[in-house]
Amino acid sequence: MHNNSRRISRLKTYDPRIKLYILLIYLILTLATWDVIGMTLFVLTGAFLIFLCREDLQKVISNAKGQMIILLVIGIVCMIFLPLKIGFYITVKLEMFTVVSLLIVIGMKQSDILYGLTQGFRLRGGTARMLMLILDFIPKIYREKRRGRMAQRARGVDPFSGKIFEKLRKEMLLAIPDIKYAYARSKRQYEAMDKRQFISSVKRNGRKA
């Protein structure tokens, strides 16, 4: 029997503008939902977007473990100083939104992000460049972590060795330099693009720039 049903396409193949619209809607959902029904909708939507990305989730989380631990610490602090339910919601939102935004943006080139911002949201060059660097900041940290692990393996060092607390300590120690390097790199990129007045030059068939 012939099956005419179509499989849902990978999010990676979507137009950059659609990806950014999806991310904006999920951000609004993140900020707007503070009850059980809203949180359930938030989690289910995030799970669907993660499925739609069709990436190796275990590998992505492994390389983003440092950021996830830092966000978990922030969430625990929120649970201590805020009502427990609100603190728990904040923790879930931080972790879930970080994973979803990372999976969406990591497959986009900087020129794609700029195209989506300038053509999808009609933003001016300077504003689009600033938002592009903000959106690309967490993926930058992710890429730095991945390069660091590849370098460790090349030197014969196993980045996954040691007991669980030793692994957590290593992740925390490596996360801070990765964040500092990603920030410095973003700052240099913004200054370079600002001097060159860099705007996306992405051209695609069937789309007007």
Side-chain angles (χ1 to χ4, degrees):
M1 183 176 177
H2 181 65
N3 187 4
N4 290 321
S5 61
R6 295 183 179 179
R7 292 183 62 187
I8 300 175
S9 302
R10 291 181 62 182
L11 194 62
K12 190 176 182 179
T13 64
Y14 287 24
D15 186 289
R17 293 170 293 184
I18 301 299
K19 293 180 185 177
L20 294 181
Y21 291 153
I22 291 171
L23 187 58
L24 176 61
I25 292 169
Y26 194 61
L27 175 61
I28 293 171
L29 188 62
T30 303
L31 297 174
T33 51
W34 294 100
D35 56 13
V36 175
I37 296 175
M39 282 298 295
T40 302
L41 178 62
F42 166 78
V43 171
L44 290 176
T45 303
F48 176 70
L49 291 175
I50 290 171
F51 166 76
L52 205 58
C53 289
R54 311 280 177 84
E55 299 288 347
D56 187 342
L57 185 60
Q58 184 177 357
K59 184 178 179 181
V60 170
I61 291 178
S62 177
N63 283 316
K65 198 177 293 180
Q67 300 105 282
M68 305 296 286
I69 293 172
I70 291 173
L71 293 175
L72 180 61
V73 171
I74 294 172
I76 292 172
V77 171
C78 291
M79 283 189 277
I80 293 172
F81 291 99
L82 296 174
L84 183 60
K85 184 174 78 170
I86 299 299
F88 175 73
Y89 285 175
I90 290 173
T91 305
V92 174
K93 285 171 181 286
L94 286 173
E95 300 284 3
M96 197 80 175
F97 183 79
T98 299
V99 171
V100 170
S101 61
L102 176 60
L103 288 171
I104 291 175
V105 179
I106 201 170
M108 300 174 69
K109 298 177 182 178
Q110 290 185 343
S111 56
D112 289 338
I113 298 174
L114 279 173
Y115 178 89
L117 291 170
T118 55
Q119 303 302 312
F121 295 90
R122 301 298 177 185
L123 298 178
R124 293 177 179 272
T127 305
R129 291 193 293 272
M130 179 63 75
L131 284 176
M132 183 273 291
L133 291 174
I134 292 172
L135 288 170
D136 196 45
F137 184 68
I138 292 178
K140 268 193 181 73
I141 300 172
Y142 172 85
R143 288 189 286 267
E144 291 304 319
K145 179 64 174 295
R146 187 172 57 185
R147 276 196 287 266
R149 283 190 170 175
M150 290 173 65
Q152 285 180 314
R153 291 194 186 99
R155 294 195 299 268
V157 178
D158 184 5
F160 302 102
S161 63
K163 296 181 179 179
I164 184 167
F165 290 108
E166 180 65 19
K167 290 180 182 178
L168 291 176
R169 188 181 71 84
K170 287 180 183 177
E171 291 292 342
M172 289 292 290
L173 291 175
L174 290 173
I176 295 171
D178 288 340
I179 292 171
K180 288 175 65 178
Y181 185 81
Y183 173 77
R185 190 175 175 188
S186 294
K187 187 176 179 181
R188 289 196 301 270
Q189 276 187 312
Y190 179 79
E191 290 171 353
M193 288 191 298
D194 193 50
K195 287 178 182 178
R196 294 164 50 196
Q197 293 297 305
F198 182 77
I199 299 294
S200 173
S201 59
V202 177
K203 302 293 183 182
R204 287 180 172 80
N205 293 331
R207 270 193 341 209
K208 295 182 179 179

